[in-house]
Amino acid sequence: MTTRMPLISVEDLTVTYGDRIGCNGVSFDLFPGEVLGIVGESGSGKSTLLNAVSGQLEPAVGQIHYRTRLNETADIYRMSEPERRFLMRTDWAFVHQNPRDGLRMGVSAGANIGERLMGVGWRHYGEIRSTALSWLGKVEIFEDRVDDPPTTFSGGMQQRLQIARNLVSGPRLVFMDEPTGGLDVSVQARLLDLLRGLVSDLGLSAIIVTHDLAVARLLSHRLMVMQGGEVVESGLTDQVLDDPQHPYTQLLVSSILQV
Amino acid sequence: MSNSAAPSYNFAYLDEQTKRMIRRALLKAVAIPGYQVPFASREMPMPYGWGTGGIQVTAAVIGPDDCLKVIDQGSDDTTNAVSIRKFFAKVGDIETTEETERATVIQTRHRIPETELTEDQILVYQVPIPEPLRFLEPKETETRKMHALEEYGLMHVKLYEDISQHGEIATTYAYPVKVDGRYVMDPSPTPKFDNPKMNNMAALQLFGAGREKRIYAIPPYTEVVSLDFDDHPFSIQKWDEPCALCGTRDSFLDEVILDDQGGRMFVCSDSHHCAKRQAEGHRGALSADPALETEEVAP
Amino acid sequence: MTEILRVENISKSFTLHVQQQAVIPVFEDINLALSAGDCLALTGASGAGKSTFMRMVYANYVCQSGQINVRHQGDWIDVVSAAPHTILDIRRVTMGYVSQFLRVIPRVSTLDVVAEPAKMAGMEVEEAAEKAKSLLHRLNIPEALWSLSPLTFSGGEQQRVNIARGFVTDYPLLLLDEPTASLDAANKAVVLDLIDEAKARGAAVLGIFHDHEARERVCTSEFDISEFRVKSDG
């Protein structure tokens, strides 16, 4: 067997909000190319965990080690802020549930996609624009919309634009917070297909927070089930969903509405 | 003083403690070229937007021996320029002038004089919005962090947007510059025509934003580079015709509407520069007295 | 012949927490081994745990005790205790599973659905597409349907797409849950041919065949799972 090193390694992560526990003692490894789903109901701590792991919410206890492109291990809360911010806008991507949180609504689609490139020093307008056009194609937005602001886009298009804006810098790790939440079912299916294709074509690792077990089944290899800030069950996605062991997971799975 | 019975102002209106506070901010600003230094902006006897930031800076640096010139859109004779000159004449008994060469302190809104400034002069800019990143990032905490970490990709997003919407960088004033290879700075709403003059200028350049409570500076002989793209390099405005009054092709021109039949002319925005050239005998196409010599005629 | 699968002392029960902690025992202490070229039929009455057993081998169901060793790229790996990414690796190259239900992402074409496992196992895109086409041909899925999502197909068509997906890669170990159910005679014959071809190239096959005739034709041995049923204490 080839021994693989985890891309990100989370140890005993605890986030508190004053006296309240956001998430408690969470540990996991994410390997390159792996997609981890985090499921649980609202308030279960899954978004807290995502924010902490993605460097946006400093944990009270615990460590997050990230394996950089240089194959060095870095503790993301011990590195300097410039280093962390650079990592976050080059090596990492964060797809928000509400595209308005992840897009610049006041500038064109092309500028939204080009921002990360300009942030790492691209200074050739023609190259930035052609890269933006090619990414619009990848996320199935017509090229003639490149100069339109996202305010003129539908919700599904905005979400696809947000994905393009995030993936243009060639990140290795993508964080997604309810990426299909708030979309029509048909739009959701298209987005899921697109996401799955991009993740596997680009060999991305991803951590996806969702309350939708169907989304988790389609996108993630592995699943962590959270309740009350704790991980109550984790394992292969289909194993957790088809043969749930923990009472809470059984309740979640048995609560799915059948069409 | 016109009325000896009136209570006398402290020299240059501001009290000495306030001037010291502003000078400390100015020293810091000069030490970190292009960095926006917060300062405790005072209420001035005029509304925000009329140059309260510039006036406070001028009041903090001016002395009894100084000679003050004030221009607004390049002109010495607009209401704003006249009022500010009168203000300092009244509160400091300061000599004022319209001649760029004679002035030791020049307060400006929107223009840099066409005449090259010297090491003995200070140029004070009135600034409405000091933050160049504000257009795209509304959060002050975030823009400060971006300056601190030199994350300036966003500035190019604005220029990208210009090209994508207009085919060229359409920003013609408040065109962002990088000062001393470090801070990105808004040169106040001066036309980009004046940006090259800021680079390696012999005079000290001070910027005051009264409402936004920020001071920043460019020390003499500091590199100031206008941001651009490799395939869309920075360029300044050009006009098809010379100044209609003095015939120059090298200065920033204002369009003046002459009648309601579409008649118009282009004249120097720097009124002193234009007057000086005319006094030297230069003439444009629409000069009142074209007899002496017509420099150039519009095609 | 080389052993591919070795099941040792496995037991299974379900605990239903949502129904007053009801514990449903399924079977206990199963041991079996499977070698290359073997085709073992799991038998036993409905509810004896045939599908459950198969899902445990595929690591789809949790195993409470015992070991399920699979020979993966030359090494024995216990799927009961293996890390998730190891199991995914085994599923990618070593172990194929044809379930009774087709589960796919909406909007993906039938051709891509079938070619996908081959691509995942490292086959070139075009070769995978060719292989997928030839399987769809053999299984009599009309070419006009290939560009459509199989979600709109009839039950029998979906089942054949599922089978094509399972045979597009030459897995050393194949798990087939009722592969011939709901197929007409012609298509059933194609599936049995596919199984024979897999055995011939050295695959080990574990199957559930409701159909007696099919079992007779392809299976080399039978394993009655109901003998391991846990005696209910009442």
Side-chain angles (χ1 to χ4, degrees):
Chain A
M1 277 300 292
T2 49
T3 50
R4 289 197 297 173
M5 300 292 283
L7 183 66
I8 197 162
S9 188
V10 174
E11 276 172 61
D12 192 28
L13 196 75
T14 298
V15 178
T16 50
Y17 298 106
D19 292 340
R20 299 185 69 85
I21 298 269
C23 66
N24 191 19
V26 177
S27 301
F28 65 88
D29 288 337
L30 184 76
F31 290 86
E34 208 174 29
V35 180
L36 172 70
I38 304 176
V39 298
E41 61 196 9
S42 306
S44 60
K46 54 193 197 303
S47 290
T48 296
L49 177 61
L50 191 74
N51 288 332
V53 174
S54 60
Q56 302 176 85
L57 181 64
E58 186 151 4
V61 181
Q63 291 176 340
I64 300 161
H65 290 285
Y66 179 68
R67 182 155 291 270
T68 66
R69 279 176 205 263
L70 302 172
N71 211 27
E72 289 163 350
T73 304
D75 182 332
I76 65 157
Y77 285 104
R78 295 259 169 81
M79 62 173 71
S80 70
E81 191 175 16
E83 282 177 312
R84 184 162 67 241
R85 282 172 68 105
F86 184 76
L87 192 71
M88 285 168 76
R89 63 174 203 271
T90 54
D91 232 22
W92 292 6
F94 199 105
V95 176
H96 297 265
Q97 172 174 9
N98 185 345
R100 286 172 177 273
D101 295 336
L103 290 172
R104 285 194 194 280
M105 299 305 283
V107 301
S108 68
N112 265 288
I113 299 176
E115 182 175 339
R116 276 181 165 229
L117 300 175
M118 292 182 254
V120 294
W122 285 41
R123 291 294 178 264
H124 191 283
Y125 174 81
E127 287 169 11
I128 294 165
R129 190 170 174 83
S130 63
T131 306
L133 286 170
S134 121
W135 268 95
L136 280 182
K138 283 182 197 167
V139 297
E140 303 173 19
I141 296 174
F142 288 118
E143 289 193 353
D144 62 5
R145 302 300 302 272
V146 66
D147 294 330
D148 296 340
T151 44
T152 65
F153 287 8
S154 69
M157 282 168 76
Q158 287 181 1
Q159 196 56 296
R160 296 202 299 279
L161 180 63
Q162 192 193 179
I163 288 161
R165 170 182 159 87
N166 269 281
L167 298 189
V168 67
S169 63
R172 298 156 76 219
L173 176 58
V174 184
F175 300 95
M176 301 189 212
D177 190 2
E178 304 275 9
T180 61
L183 298 177
D184 291 345
V185 183
S186 60
V187 177
Q188 231 184 59
R190 184 178 184 186
L191 190 74
L192 282 173
D193 176 26
L194 182 79
L195 271 177
R196 213 182 63 124
L198 288 171
V199 165
S200 77
D201 290 351
L202 303 172
L204 299 174
S205 306
I207 300 179
I208 300 174
V209 159
T210 179
H211 67 271
D212 185 334
L213 298 183
V215 168
R217 186 189 281 276
L218 289 178
L219 289 180
S220 61
H221 300 127
R222 266 200 304 143
L223 216 54
M224 291 202 313
V225 182
M226 292 193 72
Q227 184 195 23
E230 315 232 357
V231 174
V232 295
E233 183 164 357
S234 67
L236 269 177
T237 297
D238 59 88
Q239 196 177 71
V240 171
L241 295 179
D242 293 340
D243 189 11
Q245 304 295 304
H246 191 274
Y248 178 67
T249 317
Q250 290 189 356
L251 181 70
L252 265 188
V253 171
S254 64
S255 305
I256 301 174
L257 295 175
Q258 299 290 327
V259 179
Chain B
M1 292 278 169
S2 53
N3 185 354
S4 56
S8 60
Y9 290 100
N10 189 41
F11 175 74
Y13 187 75
L14 294 176
D15 62 274
E16 294 305 312
Q17 286 301 338
T18 297
K19 285 194 227 169
R20 281 190 199 106
M21 175 272 291
I22 294 173
R23 286 174 198 144
R24 279 195 295 272
L26 286 168
L27 283 173
K28 186 169 179 181
V30 169
I32 317 170
Y35 171 72
Q36 298 167 45
V37 183
F39 81 110
S41 179
R42 296 292 193 251
E43 292 290 328
M44 297 302 284
M46 63 189 66
Y48 287 133
W50 286 40
T52 55
I55 288 168
Q56 290 179 77
V57 170
T58 298
V61 298
I62 207 160
D65 302 332
D66 275 311
C67 178
L68 176 69
K69 170 184 164 84
V70 181
I71 50 174
D72 177 5
Q73 304 272 14
S75 169
D76 291 276
D77 43 20
T78 61
T79 313
N80 203 222
V82 172
S83 305
I84 294 172
R85 275 204 307 276
K86 279 192 173 167
F87 174 78
F88 278 106
K90 179 168 186 174
V91 301
D93 202 13
I94 288 159
E95 184 192 359
T96 61
T97 183
E98 296 190 5
E99 286 175 48
T100 304
E101 296 84 348
R102 268 197 66 213
T104 53
V105 176
I106 303 171
Q107 181 172 331
T108 180
R109 171 171 175 261
H110 285 204
R111 283 305 317 280
I112 296 174
E114 304 292 356
T115 308
E116 196 170 321
L117 302 183
T118 67
E119 291 179 11
D120 301 323
Q121 295 176 305
I122 297 176
L123 185 58
V124 178
Y125 297 77
Q126 303 170 198
V127 180
I129 299 167
E131 180 48 70
L133 299 163
R134 184 64 69 235
F135 170 75
L136 292 161
E137 179 52 66
K139 287 191 215 118
E140 172 73 13
T141 48
E142 187 62 18
T143 53
R144 281 211 214 180
K145 197 162 270 181
M146 290 160 106
H147 282 294
L149 303 180
E150 226 178 326
E151 292 178 1
Y152 289 131
L154 198 55
M155 211 60 252
H156 274 84
V157 170
K158 161 108 171 67
L159 301 180
Y160 170 97
E161 200 64 355
D162 264 10
I163 303 173
S164 73
Q165 306 295 326
H166 306 287
E168 58 180 358
I169 298 178
T171 299
T172 52
Y173 63 92
Y175 190 106
V177 293
K178 192 167 220 181
V179 181
D180 199 26
R182 175 61 181 84
Y183 282 93
V184 166
M185 188 194 91
D186 184 333
S188 88
T190 51
K192 66 177 180 178
F193 181 88
D194 288 336
N195 276 20
K197 294 181 192 161
M198 301 180 137
N199 184 33
N200 272 316
M201 185 188 275
L204 170 64
Q205 302 174 73
L206 304 175
F207 299 78
R211 181 181 45 211
E212 302 288 325
K213 302 178 174 56
R214 292 289 183 279
I215 280 172
Y216 49 106
I218 306 174
Y221 304 110
T222 300
E223 185 188 60
V224 177
V225 179
S226 302
L227 303 181
D228 60 6
F229 285 104
D230 297 346
D231 50 345
H232 284 266
F234 173 78
S235 65
I236 59 173
Q237 295 100 322
K238 291 200 168 38
W239 288 265
D240 295 335
E241 48 195 279
C243 171
L245 298 180
C246 78
T248 183
R249 283 187 173 276
D250 305 324
S251 87
F252 187 85
L253 303 183
D254 282 339
E255 184 178 354
V256 178
I257 305 296
L258 297 174
D259 51 37
D260 56 5
Q261 311 296 312
R264 57 185 189 162
M265 66 172 181
F266 287 91
V267 296
C268 290
S269 101
D270 185 338
S271 58
H272 167 254
H273 180 71
C274 197
K276 191 176 80 175
R277 278 180 53 87
Q278 290 179 64
E280 287 165 5
H282 298 287
R283 287 294 179 272
L286 295 175
S287 294
D289 173 21
L292 282 172
E293 176 205 352
T294 301
E295 185 104 329
E296 278 187 84
V297 178
Chain C
M1 287 293 260
T2 330
E3 275 196 342
I4 304 281
L5 173 70
R6 204 156 55 203
V7 174
E8 293 168 10
N9 305 316
I10 67 165
S11 304
K12 178 67 184 171
S13 62
F14 291 104
T15 306
L16 303 181
H17 296 281
V18 281
Q19 289 167 26
Q20 293 83 44
Q21 315 287 325
V23 176
I24 301 172
V26 186
F27 48 69
E28 57 189 6
D29 268 338
I30 290 184
N31 288 275
L32 69 79
L34 203 55
S35 296
D38 283 353
C39 179
L40 179 69
L42 290 173
T43 59
S46 189
K50 302 186 292 293
S51 289
T52 297
F53 178 81
M54 189 171 276
R55 283 166 174 258
M56 287 165 74
V57 173
Y58 198 61
N60 177 225
Y61 278 5
V62 177
C63 181
Q64 274 90 4
S65 64
Q67 287 192 357
I68 300 172
N69 293 298
V70 172
R71 189 186 289 278
H72 171 60
Q73 294 176 327
D75 294 315
W76 282 109
I77 294 177
D78 175 17
V79 299
V80 174
S81 57
H85 65 262
T86 308
I87 292 171
L88 290 174
D89 240 25
I90 293 173
R91 289 179 180 179
R92 203 164 49 77
V93 296
T94 300
M95 179 162 58
Y97 172 47
V98 176
S99 72
Q100 290 172 272
F101 308 100
L102 182 65
R103 194 166 240 153
V104 295
I105 291 197
R107 228 173 62 110
V108 180
S109 78
T110 297
L111 194 60
D112 287 341
V113 164
V114 174
E116 195 207 1
K119 282 189 275 183
M120 297 295 283
M123 200 184 278
E124 290 296 322
V125 175
E126 277 148 40
E127 194 189 344
E130 282 312 307
K131 188 129 191 233
K133 284 177 190 171
S134 85
L135 277 165
L136 287 169
H137 254 307
R138 281 187 74 178
L139 287 157
N140 301 307
I141 304 287
E143 200 166 335
L145 300 182
W146 294 359
S147 61
L148 305 177
S149 164
L151 287 177
T152 56
F153 292 4
S154 72
E157 283 165 340
Q158 288 196 4
Q159 174 68 349
R160 280 176 277 150
V161 170
N162 217 5
I163 289 163
R165 219 175 120 82
F167 281 89
V168 76
T169 305
D170 290 340
Y171 296 110
L173 175 59
L174 266 172
L175 312 176
L176 308 175
D177 192 349
E178 300 271 20
T180 57
S182 74
L183 296 186
D184 59 28
N187 282 314
K188 188 158 80 183
V190 175
V191 173
L192 296 178
D193 285 348
L194 285 171
I195 294 171
D196 275 335
E197 287 163 27
K199 281 158 56 192
R201 66 166 167 80
V205 182
L206 181 67
I208 299 167
F209 298 93
H210 209 69
D211 175 0
H212 185 71
E213 214 175 293
R215 198 159 64 216
E216 298 277 278
R217 197 189 126 181
V218 294
C219 294
T220 51
S221 53
E222 295 192 1
F223 187 90
D224 187 354
I225 213 160
S226 43
E227 290 170 21
F228 300 88
R229 180 135 214 175
V230 180
K231 303 289 176 284
S232 165
D233 298 332

